[in-house]
Amino acid sequence: MEQRCGAEAEGDARESLNGGGCPTGKGMSWAQAILLARGLSRGWGGVCSTALTGAPFSQVPPQAPRGLHCSAAAHNPDSSLVPRPPEPPRRPVKALAVHEELFRPALDGARDKANFVQAVQNFAEYNVHKRGHVDFIYLALRKMRQYGVERDLSVYNLLLDVFPKEVFRPRNIFHSIFLHYPRQQECGIAVLEQMENHGVMPNKETEFLLLQIFGRKSYPMLKLVRMKLWFTRFKNINPFPVPRDLPQDPVDLASLALRHMEPDLSARVTTYQMPLPKDSPDTMDPTETHIVGIQSPEQQSALARHDPARPIFVEGPFSLWLRDKCVYYHILRADLLPPEKREVEEIPEEWNLYYPMQLDLAYGRSSWDDYEFNIDEVEEGPVFAICVAGAHDQATLAKWIQGLQETNPALARIPVVFRLSGSSGELLASSDLEEPPPPPPEGQEEEDTQQRQQQGQS
């Protein structure tokens, strides 16, 4: 019966070809007729076989012609010309729980290089086929700071050794042009970028590993070549280098920050107060913080010449970054003098940084020529001292001012105003820093309040 249905479908196709079964009134080609006959025969065959078995027609699976390699949308009745909305972006694949178990802290809670290396070696030992190596490397890059190995070159080479060898290398020119194994190459570039961020210079072992893994004509290898070029040029370009390993003691870190800010080499760093340990039982105030300041002889002489009628200001805190650590400091400064009170100091021409100040040349000039140099100068008041303190409140900075009075006696006659961020400073004299003013009597306070109300009503 199936053969009879197929023959009938073929006859219908020929009939439509000869007699105008086409709705447009034009004949069809032989190729289109053969394809249509095959499709109808397949459809009728499925219907006839379903009728023999007794199954309902709604359960007949759509069968595509075997001779055609077309998409399923061509035979889907629900398909339309309207494009579907774009699929939501996939979330990044989280690291497997097995990988997280490898970085579980030891029994003693220590996280060091030995534990990190052991975790990487365990992954290579128990996962011979290196399945999930990309997720493991991304997880290891995030864990490196916790283990303190973010600047260890041998650890980065150990992570690169996790990649399978001779698998991701391009085999032909098309692999080299297009991104061959993009996820693996992006993972290799991520390892090199983290090395670059921490100032780790790759060596010959790193280059040999990348050649084994990705080949010479790959993006990780291009990243390595650029790092070798620019790292050697910018390694010692900073005229004021910062130590690679910063001190952990806050007093030493504050002294290092002050030395970097003060250009005068004759400036003296003074520790006005040392931090007290929090577990000290003999101290009444365990939260006492450190106060470290710096002042040069030129700043001391400028403060001695300052007019006592003009106040000076304590401003801050301002931030200073030393690699990955931020230090906050305060300054003691004064406002700029008005132009009529300034003393113009004559600087010899051989000491002048902008020498020559005038151009006396014999060239012909027009009225449009400018005879002056265009120098953008920002006029600011003098800075008398700088300090780094563990706290940024007025009480802590008042101790700094009291310590400055020992080497600057003129500071005792000059009023000090605190301009701290987030707080309203008030005018305080040198005597006010030592003892707060006594509160007024209750009767006098009530009389002052009544007088103010009467003045407001009048």
Side-chain angles (χ1 to χ4, degrees):
M1 187 173 181
E2 184 178 353
Q3 294 177 357
R4 187 185 306 170
C5 293
E8 290 177 2
E10 239 178 88
D12 293 342
R14 291 175 183 174
E15 206 175 278
S16 64
L17 175 65
N18 298 329
C22 181
T24 59
K26 297 182 181 180
M28 298 172 61
S29 64
W30 284 101
Q32 293 176 349
I34 292 172
L35 296 177
L36 180 61
R38 287 183 178 179
L40 291 174
S41 65
R42 293 295 178 188
W44 279 105
V47 172
C48 294
S49 61
T50 305
L52 289 175
T53 57
F57 291 100
S58 60
Q59 298 180 2
V60 178
Q63 298 180 359
R66 294 181 181 179
L68 295 179
H69 298 279
C70 55
S71 63
H75 306 282
N76 189 5
D78 299 334
S79 62
S80 61
L81 298 178
V82 180
R84 295 182 178 180
E87 297 181 358
R90 297 181 178 180
R91 296 181 179 179
V93 181
K94 297 183 179 180
L96 300 177
V98 181
H99 299 165
E100 291 282 353
E101 291 293 331
L102 294 174
F103 291 98
R104 179 185 296 178
L107 298 177
D108 55 353
R111 292 190 175 185
D112 51 2
K113 180 180 177 180
N115 296 335
F116 189 89
V117 172
Q118 185 64 34
V120 178
Q121 291 176 353
N122 291 340
F123 174 81
E125 180 180 354
Y126 295 109
N127 197 344
V128 181
H129 299 286
K130 305 293 182 68
R131 293 189 180 96
H133 63 277
V134 174
D135 297 333
F136 174 77
I137 291 175
Y138 278 122
L139 178 62
L141 291 176
R142 295 194 299 267
K143 297 285 186 179
M144 290 183 73
R145 186 181 291 272
Q146 301 178 9
Y147 286 82
V149 293
E150 68 274 6
R151 294 179 181 174
D152 197 330
L153 178 59
S154 61
V155 176
Y156 287 104
N157 292 336
L158 186 64
L159 284 181
L160 290 176
D161 196 23
V162 174
F163 282 99
K165 309 300 186 297
E166 306 291 338
V167 178
F168 310 125
R169 299 186 64 176
R171 304 299 178 184
N172 49 50
I173 188 174
F174 298 103
H175 291 172
S176 302
I177 294 175
F178 300 100
L179 192 59
H180 191 51
Y181 287 98
R183 191 160 182 259
Q184 284 75 14
Q185 290 201 40
E186 289 175 358
C187 182
I189 294 175
V191 175
L192 295 176
E193 284 183 350
Q194 184 158 331
M195 293 174 60
E196 181 182 3
N197 294 336
H198 292 287
V200 181
M201 180 70 180
N203 57 0
K204 288 292 183 180
E205 183 182 358
T206 310
E207 183 178 0
F208 180 73
L209 287 171
L210 292 177
L211 286 175
Q212 277 189 318
I213 300 167
F214 302 107
R216 187 170 297 277
K217 295 183 179 180
S218 60
Y219 287 94
M221 197 64 194
L222 179 61
K223 176 70 175 178
L224 176 74
V225 172
R226 290 174 176 173
M227 288 176 62
K228 292 176 64 177
L229 173 65
W230 295 111
F231 261 40
T232 55
R233 297 191 178 186
F234 293 139
K235 185 177 182 180
N236 300 318
I237 198 173
N238 187 5
F240 306 101
V242 180
R244 184 172 181 177
D245 298 327
L246 296 176
Q248 300 298 327
D249 187 20
V251 177
D252 297 339
L253 185 63
S255 303
L256 178 63
L258 293 173
R259 282 295 181 188
H260 272 73
M261 287 187 290
E262 179 59 51
D264 194 351
L265 299 179
S266 61
R268 179 183 176 185
V269 178
T270 307
T271 303
Y272 298 99
Q273 181 175 288
M274 291 293 294
L276 297 177
K278 296 182 179 180
D279 55 350
S280 179
D282 299 335
T283 56
M284 298 298 295
D285 188 8
T287 61
E288 192 172 355
T289 60
H290 63 279
I291 303 174
V292 184
I294 189 171
Q295 191 179 31
S296 64
E298 184 178 355
Q299 290 174 333
Q300 290 182 359
S301 59
L303 184 58
R305 296 192 305 267
H306 185 75
D307 186 8
R310 299 177 61 249
I312 58 179
F313 307 95
V314 177
E315 297 181 354
F318 306 102
S319 60
L320 173 68
W321 283 94
L322 297 175
R323 295 194 182 276
D324 57 344
K325 293 187 178 181
C326 185
V327 180
Y328 294 93
Y329 65 95
H330 298 77
I331 62 173
L332 180 66
R333 59 174 294 271
D335 287 338
L336 193 65
L337 289 173
E340 61 272 7
K341 294 184 179 181
R342 299 179 190 174
E343 297 179 0
V344 180
E345 184 180 359
E346 295 184 0
I347 303 176
E349 294 182 353
E350 60 272 9
W351 292 358
N352 195 351
L353 297 177
Y354 303 103
Y355 178 84
M357 296 298 292
Q358 297 180 356
L359 293 176
D360 297 331
L361 303 177
Y363 299 118
R365 298 179 180 178
S366 62
S367 58
W368 296 96
D369 292 337
D370 190 6
Y371 288 86
E372 298 180 355
F373 289 100
N374 186 14
I375 302 173
D376 295 333
E377 294 184 357
V378 180
E379 296 182 349
E380 296 180 351
V383 177
F384 300 121
I386 309 175
C387 92
V388 174
H392 312 302
D393 54 347
Q394 184 172 335
T396 303
L397 298 175
K399 297 180 181 179
W400 172 48
I401 300 298
Q402 294 176 5
L404 283 175
Q405 292 179 2
E406 298 179 1
T407 55
N408 301 271
L411 187 58
R413 303 186 302 270
I414 302 174
V416 179
V417 179
F418 290 86
R419 292 179 176 176
L420 306 180
S421 59
S423 62
S424 58
E426 56 184 49
L427 189 64
L428 295 177
S430 59
S431 59
D432 298 335
L433 296 175
E434 299 177 358
E435 297 180 0
E442 297 181 358
Q444 183 178 356
E445 185 177 358
E446 294 178 358
E447 293 177 359
D448 295 342
T449 306
Q450 293 177 0
Q451 291 179 1
R452 292 176 183 174
Q453 293 178 356
Q454 292 176 1
Q455 291 178 358
Q457 293 175 0
S458 61

